[in-house]
Amino acid sequence: MLTVRSTDRARGSTASPRARTPARCGPVGGHRSRRPEPCPPALLRPSGLAEHPRLGRNLAIHPAVSVAGRFAGAVTGPGAGPNILQSVGVDEWHDEGILTEATAAPPCLTSFVLPHLGKELKRELDDAGRLGLLGAMVSDRSSGRVRGAHRPVASCTLHAEDGRRLLRSVTHRGRILFAAGAREVLTGIPAHPSVTSPADLDDVVRRTGHHRLHLSAFHPTGTAALGADDQHSPVLPDGQLRGTEGVPVADAGLLPSSPGVNPQITMMAPAHAVTEQAVRRDGG
């Protein structure tokens, strides 16, 4: 569970022994289709293995916002060519910690950028094929925390500078969409949901505080950070839980800070290395 301080839709929201099997449940929790899965802190606490003071801290979540452009013709759906979930990335602002990606996600994943509710929202969804969506996430400060032993609860507070970067990303993406021919840009800002020119976009962003953004979050990392510093890193450089024997950790909790990119491959490498070492130590 990720706890986020929120308001209603009209106002927006802000972010609130010996082991042969590595701990690999994710830094916050697993899939919830059957029951909540423990994250490393929640998995280790009932066993008396979570003594390091930084275990469960240092959570980063890649906070993100979406912007959509409404075009004259179909952008996704039948007749619009192949729909690729993440088709294009923009790294022009990556040195600022901002990553932009074009996506053709299904409406159930993109409806939060639409400005209405009820029947009006349904009409918007019926016309979703004319929308081009650009998402942006920022490499955030690792300020979140996971609490709880049996039912992990994560909480984060958006740092002001991360919020300002997200606002800048709204401007960047809106201008990309207008340059591509969008007739209207849906800002994802609940108080000012739609603009029809770059000048209007600049004005809306200038008058909006980051606490008014409608946020989502992806790729939680860092709650069992790997490193050589015994004060700040609950996990040793070889993936072993500090102060124990035979308890390796092999998931995104190992990352010491927000990676700033989709971390699938980033995590596969250390997970593979940690698991190989664990197998060798056990004589496999």
Side-chain angles (χ1 to χ4, degrees):
M1 176 187 294
L2 178 61
T3 298
V4 182
R5 295 200 313 274
S6 62
T7 60
D8 59 37
R9 183 167 183 148
R11 296 179 58 195
S13 62
T14 58
S16 227
R18 185 87 181 151
R20 290 182 178 274
T21 302
R24 46 179 179 170
C25 321
V28 171
H31 298 292
R32 302 180 66 87
S33 57
R34 295 184 180 177
R35 61 182 176 84
E37 294 290 343
C39 62
L43 175 68
L44 298 169
R45 282 171 185 148
S47 303
L49 298 175
E51 297 181 355
H52 196 283
R54 296 293 296 174
L55 193 70
R57 297 179 180 269
N58 198 52
L59 175 67
I61 58 170
H62 275 168
V65 289
S66 295
V67 169
R70 196 188 308 277
F71 292 82
V75 178
T76 62
N83 295 328
I84 301 172
L85 181 59
Q86 292 174 329
S87 58
V88 177
V90 180
D91 59 6
E92 181 174 348
W93 303 286
H94 206 207
D95 59 350
E96 301 176 36
I98 301 171
L99 180 63
T100 294
E101 295 175 331
T103 181
C108 63
L109 298 179
T110 58
S111 61
F112 52 80
V113 77
L114 299 174
H116 302 297
L117 297 171
K119 292 181 179 179
E120 292 180 332
L121 175 59
K122 184 179 183 301
R123 283 194 290 270
E124 289 277 8
L125 290 171
D126 289 341
D127 194 40
R130 294 198 298 125
L131 295 179
L133 188 75
L134 293 179
M137 63 186 187
V138 300
S139 180
D140 54 318
R141 288 164 169 79
S142 303
S143 59
R145 185 175 180 182
V146 178
R147 297 175 174 86
H150 300 287
R151 187 170 184 264
V153 177
S155 61
C156 286
T157 299
L158 185 69
H159 190 278
E161 177 52 33
D162 295 335
R164 287 189 286 268
R165 287 188 290 160
L166 286 169
L167 275 172
R168 290 199 298 273
S169 79
V170 173
T171 300
H172 298 329
R173 286 170 291 139
R175 288 186 168 274
I176 290 173
L177 290 165
F178 279 127
R183 297 181 173 184
E184 177 188 14
V185 165
L186 305 181
T187 64
I189 299 171
H192 307 283
S194 173
V195 294
T196 56
S197 72
D200 289 345
L201 176 68
D202 291 344
D203 181 59
V204 164
V205 172
R206 185 169 52 250
R207 292 187 289 114
T208 299
H210 69 268
H211 58 287
R212 297 296 187 186
L213 291 171
H214 193 163
L215 299 178
S216 54
F218 302 89
H219 316 138
T221 59
T223 55
L226 176 151
D229 188 333
D230 61 359
Q231 298 298 312
H232 293 90
S233 303
V235 177
L236 292 163
D238 64 357
Q240 294 293 306
L241 182 67
R242 197 177 294 276
T244 67
E245 180 183 353
V247 184
V249 179
D251 60 29
L254 291 175
L255 299 184
S257 61
S258 175
V261 295
N262 295 34
Q264 290 89 332
I265 295 177
T266 305
M267 272 318 306
M268 290 176 189
H272 180 73
V274 168
T275 304
E276 275 198 332
Q277 289 193 51
V279 170
R280 283 198 296 269
R281 275 192 295 268
D282 284 343

